[in-house]
Amino acid sequence: MKTDKVKEKLLVDEEFVSLRIKDKINDFNNYAFSKEQSYALNIFFDLAQEFNSTDRLYTLAVLVADIFFDLESQLFVLDSIFQHNIGTTTTPSLILKASTVTQNSDDLKADELIELMHQKPNWFKEYFCCPIIGKNCIEGSSDKTSCEAKIGIFAFKPKNNTDKLNKLYCEKYTNRVGVQLHNRILSTQNLMHISFVKKLVHDIGHNVIVPNMYFKLLIQQLYSKIENLSHLKYSILREKPSYDEITGDIHALHQSLEEQYTEIYHHFQQTSLFLEALLRQSHFDQGRYVLNCSQVSLMEKIILPQLERYTSRMKERNILLTLPEYDLATDQDIIVSADIGLLSQVMANFLSNAVKYTQPTPTSNVKKVRCTVEILPNHFKDQESGVKVSLISSGPLIDQEDAVHLFEDNFRASNSKNENGTGHGLHFVKEMIAQHSGEIGYEVIDNSNSFYFILPCSTTTCTADL
């Protein structure tokens, strides 16, 4: 039964392909292209297969028109086609990629051509402008219009006589260029998606799976307290202690269990937040991290929750943690445009490194970590203010030669060899801050290591004095 269906499908496909071949024979007979025009199409096709470079493909397209037909031409493409899905761009703009036109004041301007992409081939100034079209749907779609994805504009200008320009040939030649360019775009996007998925797996491992091993410790601690509860129960049954002794023990154990529950619940909340931020559908659709930004209180939503999360870990390592002097109830909010899930992971990476690498100060033999928040008026262009968040930790200073490489992927400083790590966290941090239009860096403050990031914030909300 299944074999019969396969044979039936093959026959249908064979009939369809056969009809399309015959249609094309008729089309080419009607086109009546000259031998030279056919040669040009064949040579373009052959060399397009030979050249791996997209820039050479652009150059090939304009030079074939010049060498064979004495046509000056300019090839424009959308600036976003290699970053987003074909045919989708929120702010379309064209970039000139190749030209055989002598530059002068009468040349086409990219911003003049945007509207022409959505029109039929036509004359504009001295140029015959053809939209470059790719395919943006699955094969067999009945809606041909929805399959067309505008990629750019190919503009032709005869060097001497406008009557020499064969408009039909220019359209068909542009179609061949569009097919080749479309294939390059798909190939580039596929590689971007593969690269992103590999990076995403690394990010999940570093930001979620490895930190989630802390759950094991929390569960072990919870189990220990449950055992203590069991011992207390049997002690009460055997020894029948006084009311005061019982209530004191029960109160202490209840408080300990409540604290344990709170820490486990907060850890669960953060793990869920991180996974949601890393596994959004939009990331996979575009093959890159896509921010889901909103106007948020930096301290309330990002800084303080992460500091609270790492407080117990600091205590376990005998690290004295100093929080920013900030009161949510009385101090003015610092509002930033941020993706809470991804920016929280930036802060978590800083704190995780501080837990691992903070060492005692030479004089007091105390391990110290200090978080500071500072407003930087007019820090960014257009007089936009910034907020600087720093995490300052005691211990030996990072070697100057290592410092310049700290935010490179897979790099580990010479002082990190005694701790487990991948060298990926700070690279992730750098990417996320860059996507938030911010800055990141390392500096020495008070003979201590300081990692910081700076985010833009409006002057009306960046006025807190911390």
Side-chain angles (χ1 to χ4, degrees), residues 30-48:
N30 293 331
Y31 296 158
F33 288 155
S34 67
K35 184 180 293 187
E36 185 180 32
Q37 289 171 330
S38 297
Y39 281 163
L41 291 176
N42 292 336
I43 289 173
F44 171 78
F45 179 81
D46 283 354
L47 291 177

Side-chain angles (χ1 to χ4, degrees), residues 231-241:
H231 293 325
L232 179 61
K233 179 184 73 172
Y234 288 117
S235 174
I236 293 171
L237 292 174
R238 288 195 311 267
E239 301 173 10
K240 297 182 179 180

Side-chain angles (χ1 to χ4, degrees), residues 345-363:
Q345 292 178 63
V346 168
M347 193 66 191
N349 269 285
F350 274 5
L351 288 163
S352 175
N353 285 346
V355 169
K356 290 191 289 185
Y357 303 122
T358 298
Q359 296 297 323
T361 59
T363 54

